[in-house]
């Protein structure tokens, strides 16, 4: 087949926000989620190779307009996912063939362009809901975002760096060219949005320590968006990672950003570490620092791929190891007899809708993708230290995810605390087709061989 990709300029799109638009978006989402819960057909268990081929054809179908997780989320677009859940869709090790590479690059370019159009329109929200031909509603579930810009930058970076890994796929160099064009076209819009984010931070003082927080006064949404907590580590780590990526991509100058923050970026990070790590481990949220250690940590402390953590730094290594060891040592943090780790030992403070519909959604449930990042940070720790502390645990995590994927007939969004598919009367977890490549990338790193070669 012809592997040449033609990138068309995005048609004129319109973005809507406001009370009526949110009402429409909520109606669309409610119908989709409830419909999926009662109408979805179950996948049968199968070998990993077969499941992966099916997932890639579904995730990167030529009929898709945007890269999405899978049902029930497929009716809306979540910009944060490009940083959290599919940062490796252009990893050549995960691509099946040249046609698959073309489909991935084309869909990623379309997705990033639409997100950048939203930024240009001033719509930096957690969720974008299609509402007709070239019409989209920007809505925040369930508060203002902390990691939407991070996801947009991560998606753009995937395109820009597509040709840097050894590959025979021509599509990768074409994707890199498309990325350069997008960066040139939307650089000023991204810069404005990053400056707006930096300007929204507020100083927070706590027991003699202070830092600039994005959620000092009210919750901010992150990948664990249903947790209705303020002053969270993950939200503020994501903001720092956004700044770092913006500088790396040349969207904004470090000096301009630091002038607005009133401190060096390194100082900003150190203040966050001192504040959230004041007990010798990373507390999930400052509002709950009176709780016992195991109840005050959460698995999303691992943050995103190439995000917050620099595990070559001795102080960060100590904090990471202490938090990791708390999680590993606590039986309530895992599904019994497995290496599936739950988001937290206890269910969190939730919005009322989640208490009724999915109370353990981001608490006592296990997200394979957070476990993949946990394993990847463990590998970072060992690699940076030239030691072999956590590799065996990382491998156990990945083996159990493989088993769950084959058993349940696809890569799961999350599992219940008993190791089953997570579902309630109103919701069941997605089969997360587009998250699958990230798992393969980390598997290859952990075991040194591809998952799809019979390893």
């Amino acid at each position: 087949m012809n592997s040449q990709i033609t990138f068309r300029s995005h048609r004129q799109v319109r973005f809507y926000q406001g009370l009526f638009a949110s009402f429409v978006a909520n109606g669309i989402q409610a119908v989709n989620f409830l419909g999926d819960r009662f109408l979805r057909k179950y996948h049968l268990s199968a070998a990993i190779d077969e499941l992966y081929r099916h997932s890639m054809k579904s995730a990167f179908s030529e009929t898709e307009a945007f890269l999405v997780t899978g049902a029930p989320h497929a009716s809306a677009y979540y910009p944060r996912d490009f940083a959290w859940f599919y940062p490796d869709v252009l990893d050549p090790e995960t691509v099946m063939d040249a046609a698959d590479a073309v489909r991935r690059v084309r869909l990623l370019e379309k997705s990033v362009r639409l997100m950048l159009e939203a930024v240009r329109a001033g719509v930096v929200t957690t969720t974008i809901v299609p509402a007709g031909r070239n019409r989209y509603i920007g809505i925040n579930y369930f508060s203002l975002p902390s990691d939407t810009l991070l996801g947009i930058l991560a998606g753009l970076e995937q395109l820009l760096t597509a040709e840097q890994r050894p590959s025979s796929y021509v599509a990768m160099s074409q994707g890199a060219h498309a990325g350069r064009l997008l960066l040139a076209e939307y650089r000023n819009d991204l810069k404005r949005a990053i400056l707006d984010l930096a300007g929204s931070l507020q100083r927070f003082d706590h027991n003699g320590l202070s830092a600039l927080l994005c959620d000092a006064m009210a919750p901010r949404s992150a990948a664990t968006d249903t947790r209705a907590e303020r002053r969270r580590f993950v939200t503020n780590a994501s903001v720092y990672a956004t700044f770092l990526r913006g500088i790396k991509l040349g969207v904004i100058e470090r000096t301009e950003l630091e002038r607005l923050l009133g401190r060096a970026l390194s100082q900003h990070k150190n203040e966050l570490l001192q504040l959230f790590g004041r007990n010798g481990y990373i507390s999930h949220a400052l509002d709950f620092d009176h709780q016992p250690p195991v109840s005050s940590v959460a698995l999303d402390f691992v943050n995103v791929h190439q995000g917050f953590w620099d595990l070559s730094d001795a102080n960060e290594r100590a904090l990471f190891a202490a938090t990791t060891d708390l999680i590993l040592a606590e039986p309530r943090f895992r599904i019994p007899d497995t290496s599936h780790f739950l988001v937290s030992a206890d269910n969190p403070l939730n919005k009322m809708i989640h208490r009724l519909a999915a109370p353990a959604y981001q608490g006592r449930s296990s997200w394979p993708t957070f476990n993949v990042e946990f394993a990847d940070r463990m590998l970072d720790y060992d690699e940076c230290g030239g030691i072999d502390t956590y590799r065996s645990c990382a491998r156990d995590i990945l083996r159990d995810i493989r088993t769950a994927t084959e058993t349940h007939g696809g890569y799961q969004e999350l599992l219940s605390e008993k190791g089953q598919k997570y579902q309630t009367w109103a919701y069941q977890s997605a089969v997360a087709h587009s998250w699958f490549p990230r798992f393969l990338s980390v598997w290859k790193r952990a075991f040194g061989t591809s998952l799809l070669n019979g390893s």
Side-chain angles (χ1 to χ4, degrees), residues 277-298:
R278 67 205 173 284
N279 296 319
Y281 56 86
I282 294 296
S283 296
H284 168 66
L286 300 180
D287 285 357
F288 300 92
D289 63 353
H290 61 281
Q291 296 181 346
V294 72
S295 297
S296 62
V297 298

Side-chain angles (χ1 to χ4, degrees), residues 18-30:
L19 187 62
F20 179 74
S22 296
F23 177 80
V24 173
N26 286 330
I28 293 171
Q29 289 291 80

Side-chain angles (χ1 to χ4, degrees), residues 69-89:
T69 293
H73 305 284
S75 69
Y77 308 146
Y78 302 85
R80 67 163 56 97
D81 289 3
F82 290 80
W84 277 99
F85 302 140
Y86 27 84
D88 278 334
V89 297

Side-chain angles (χ1 to χ4, degrees), residues 16-17 21-23 25-26 123 125-129 137-141:
Y16 301 88
Q17 287 183 286
S22 296
F23 177 80
N26 286 330
V123 179
T125 55
T126 69
T127 312
I128 300 172
V129 179
I137 297 170
I139 187 169
N140 288 314
Y141 295 120

Side-chain angles (χ1 to χ4, degrees), residues 38-53:
F38 295 106
L39 299 177
R40 187 199 307 180
K41 296 179 180 179
Y42 285 91
H43 296 275
L44 300 177
S45 60
I48 202 76
D49 298 67
E50 179 182 345
L51 292 170
Y52 188 73
R53 284 194 298 272

